[in-house]
Amino acid sequence: MSGRSPSPRLSIAIGDYLKAIWLLARGAADAPVATSAIAEHLAVSPASVSGMLARLQERGWVTHERYRGVTLTREGEREALRLVRRHRLIETFLIEYLGYAWDEVHDEAEAIEHAISDRFTERLAGRLGHPTHDPHGDPIPNARGGVPATPDTPLDLVDVGETLVVSRLTTQDAALLARLDRLGIRPGNGVFVMARDRVAGRVRVRVEGDDHELGADLAQYVQGEVRDEAES
Ligand SMILES: [Zn+2]
C-alpha cells in the first residue's frame, strides 16, 4: 500500500462501519447508535457487528457502551467524514460528468471511494467547483471535516402561497427520485404551494410553470427553505 494518504488506508469493511455509524447518528440528532441499527443498515448479523465494534474500539474510533450504544470518537468521525466526502463527490461527478442516473451511482461510489487518495479527492473537488451539496442535496463534508448547513423545512409545513426552494430530497430510492425529477422537484428549484388538502394529505404545487398534485408518498421527501414572495 502506498502512503499517499495522511492516514493509512482503512479496510473497506471498517470504512463502511464508520460511515454507517456517522449516518445513523446524524439521522438521530447525534444520539448513540444501537448495534441493531448498524446491523440493519449494513445488512449483517448482530454478532458480526459486535465483533467489528470491538476492533473499532481497540483502535480508538468508537466508544461502545452497553445499553447506550455506539458513538464515534473524534478520530473515528474524521475518518467517516473523509469517506462521506469522497462518496458524495464521486456521485456528483458520475451524475454531472459521466451521465449516470440516480440509481446507478451509489454502488460505483461505494467501490471507488476506497480506491482513491486524498490528493485525487481534492483534485476532483476542484474540478467540480468545490460543491457543498451533492445532486440529492446531501451536504458534502469539506476537507477540514466541517459539514455545510442544509435548510430542512419539510414541504408539509409550507403554507399555501409560499414557495419552498428545494435543498434536499431525503430518499435514496431511485424510482422516487426519478418521479420527483420528472416533476422538476430537485435541489435549487422553487415549489410554489397552490392548495393543500390536509385530510387527504395532498398538496397542489407549481414547479417551473407546471401544476402538479403531490401525495404524501412524494411530498414527505422534499425539504428546503421557504422563500416568502409568491411565484411571479
Ligand atoms: Zn451513495
Side-chain angles (χ1 to χ4, degrees):
M1 288 268 135
S2 80
R4 276 176 297 163
S5 304
S7 48
R9 302 267 169 105
L10 304 180
S11 85
I12 291 175
I14 287 177
D16 287 344
Y17 270 80
L18 294 176
K19 249 185 349 175
I21 296 164
W22 184 80
L23 287 168
L24 291 165
R26 207 174 146 74
D30 292 327
V33 176
T35 52
S36 56
I38 299 169
E40 196 182 324
H41 187 93
L42 293 172
V44 295
S45 71
S48 45
V49 173
S50 304
M52 181 59 102
L53 288 176
R55 286 175 59 195
L56 294 176
Q57 180 143 274
E58 219 164 87
R59 294 211 193 182
W61 283 330
V62 302
T63 52
H64 183 194
E65 291 171 61
R66 205 172 272 281
Y67 309 118
R68 259 197 99 226
V70 183
T71 316
L72 291 174
T73 62
R74 266 259 280 280
E75 191 96 324
E77 185 179 26
R78 191 173 337 130
E79 294 301 331
L81 287 166
R82 281 176 73 218
L83 282 173
V84 173
R85 173 171 174 74
R86 290 175 182 197
H87 186 98
R88 292 183 177 169
L89 286 168
I90 293 162
E91 289 192 343
T92 304
F93 176 72
L94 293 174
I95 288 173
E96 290 186 2
Y97 281 80
L98 300 187
Y100 276 74
W102 292 110
D103 54 329
E104 298 170 324
V105 295
H106 184 79
D107 291 346
E108 294 276 29
E110 284 291 317
I112 298 168
E113 71 191 36
H114 298 289
I116 64 176
S117 65
D118 283 343
R119 181 186 193 186
F120 187 102
T121 305
E122 296 319 312
R123 293 276 173 97
L124 181 60
R127 173 52 63 99
L128 293 169
H130 298 286
T132 58
H133 292 81
D134 73 11
H136 291 90
D138 285 331
I140 299 174
N142 65 33
R144 292 171 308 284
V147 182
T150 308
D152 60 357
T153 301
L155 179 58
D156 289 338
L157 293 185
V158 179
D159 289 330
V160 171
E162 288 183 330
T163 297
L164 186 80
V165 179
V166 178
S167 63
R168 187 174 203 178
L169 305 171
T170 59
T171 174
Q172 303 284 334
D173 183 291
L176 290 172
L177 288 167
R179 282 172 65 197
L180 289 163
D181 193 60
R182 273 198 299 279
L183 302 176
I185 298 176
R186 62 182 83 95
N189 272 359
V191 176
F192 175 67
V193 176
M194 305 173 70
R196 193 184 271 295
D197 182 342
R198 290 256 172 227
V199 179
R202 304 187 68 80
V203 57
R204 188 153 191 85
V205 298
R206 177 167 294 166
V207 186
E208 295 183 313
D210 290 320
D211 296 356
H212 306 286
E213 183 118 322
L214 293 185
D217 59 324
L218 284 181
Q220 63 178 316
Y221 299 115
V222 182
Q223 294 184 354
E225 187 166 34
V226 173
R227 188 173 64 201
D228 268 329
E229 86 272 24
E231 200 193 43
S232 51

